[in-house]
Amino acid sequence: MTRTILITGGTSGFGAAAVTRFLASGWRVIATGRRAERLQALVDAHGDARLHTCAFDIRDEAAMHAALDALPAGFRDIDVLVNNAGLALGTAPAQRADLAQWRQMIDTNVTALVTLTHALLPTLIERRGAILNVSSIAGSYPYPGGNTYGGTKAFVTQFSLGLRSDLHGTGVRVTSIEPGLAETEFTLVRTRGDQAASDTLYAGARPIVADDIAETLWWVANLPPHLNINRLEVMPVSQSFAGFQIHRER
Ligand code: NDP
Ligand code: 8X3
């Protein structure tokens, strides 16, 4: 039976790679994002028989509900929700951070994620489906400048665990996927288009690439129905842990 997956943030990075991965293995895919031209490019590449795209800002609750209400009949029985759309903005310490950027991260990474999840829970319960939330190592390991971004991802991880607890007995699976350093448009977005900063961050690090996370999502989504991966932390081999910083008085 053909299964249906809704992937938010399908226009770039992990989400775009996941759209391709799931289409290639026969799934029906709903891809969302703001950039309509990127969604159209996916349709141009893959056709629209098993791909449906919806262009909307995920922070716009009315637009989200309109997109869900307008799903064609063949795409309504969603088996898997991938909450992937998200972003970091800025690397400044909290005391110099831009409050508007903090709000945008919370609205996107937290509020929109719970809104969409809430809307789809009845369908996912009926389908004994799965929720795959793209969190981050930034939710577990604080770093300077991570402040609100890390806070949103800590929420995503803990929300995933809470959902798992609430959905006990429904057969719905929930996974928090927590990638580390990954080269996508993430750093370009974070730095407002600073290609040099992005290139410098990833140079020589052999970071995670989008296809790695697409493959991880595909693996989790295709596990036997009696198995639940609760949390999955994925780093490139080049990334590991360092010690605490210590400020010394002089
Ligand atoms: P990209 O910037 O390449 O992709 C982000 C996606 O999110 C885009 O498709 C973008 O679509 C979508 N998005 C952002 N804001 C909105 C919005 N307001 N409405 C609708 N869609 C939106 O980055 P990644 O692929 O790396 O990021 C995907 C997820 O992975 C994010 O949640 C990120 O926090 C997380 N992550 C990334 C890591 C990394 O190092 N790259 C590591 C760990 C986690 P559009 O702009 O078209 O709206
Ligand atoms: C992205 C990973 O460490 O750059 O979520 O915040 S990190």
Side-chain angles (χ1 to χ4, degrees), residues 88 135-139 141 143 146 149-150 153 179-182 186-187 190 201-202 239:
S135 180
S136 168
I137 60 161
Y141 308 101
Y143 59 85
Y149 177 68
K153 292 304 185 179
L181 188 77
F186 177 83
T187 299
R190 185 171 211 169
L201 178 62
Y202 302 119
Q239 184 175 37

Side-chain angles (χ1 to χ4, degrees), residues 28 30 48 51-54 67-77:
R28 220 177 265 121
I30 303 160
D48 62 2
L51 173 61
H52 176 75
T53 61
C54 319
L68 293 177
D69 291 344
L71 286 175
F75 290 85
R76 289 207 183 124
D77 292 337

Side-chain angles (χ1 to χ4, degrees), residues 72-124:
F75 290 85
R76 289 207 183 124
D77 292 337
I78 296 167
D79 298 287
V80 177
L81 166 63
V82 180
N83 280 314
N84 164 73
L87 78 174
L89 291 171
T91 53
Q95 58 275 27
R96 290 204 298 277
D98 176 350
L99 184 57
Q101 292 190 330
W102 280 11
R103 289 200 169 118
Q104 185 175 345
M105 288 188 276
I106 294 166
D107 292 347
T108 309
N109 302 358
V110 175
T111 309
L113 182 147
V114 302
T115 304
L116 181 59
T117 303
H118 189 266
L120 290 181
L121 273 174
T123 304
L124 292 165

Side-chain angles (χ1 to χ4, degrees), residues 5 11-12 22 41 48 53 60 64 68-69 82 85 130 140 147 177 188 196 198 202 215 217 229 233 240 250:
I5 186 164
T11 55
S12 171
F22 280 87
D48 62 2
T53 61
D60 181 342
M64 178 194 292
L68 293 177
D69 291 344
V82 180
S140 301
N147 45 66
I177 295 174
L188 272 182
S198 180
Y202 302 119
E215 196 62 29
L217 290 165
I229 305 294
E233 187 175 285
S240 65
R250 292 179 194 280

Side-chain angles (χ1 to χ4, degrees), residues 162-183:
L163 277 176
R164 178 115 169 74
S165 189
D166 285 353
L167 292 166
H168 183 78
T170 64
V172 177
R173 297 185 283 175
V174 187
T175 302
S176 169
I177 295 174
E178 300 159 20
L181 188 77
E183 186 166 12

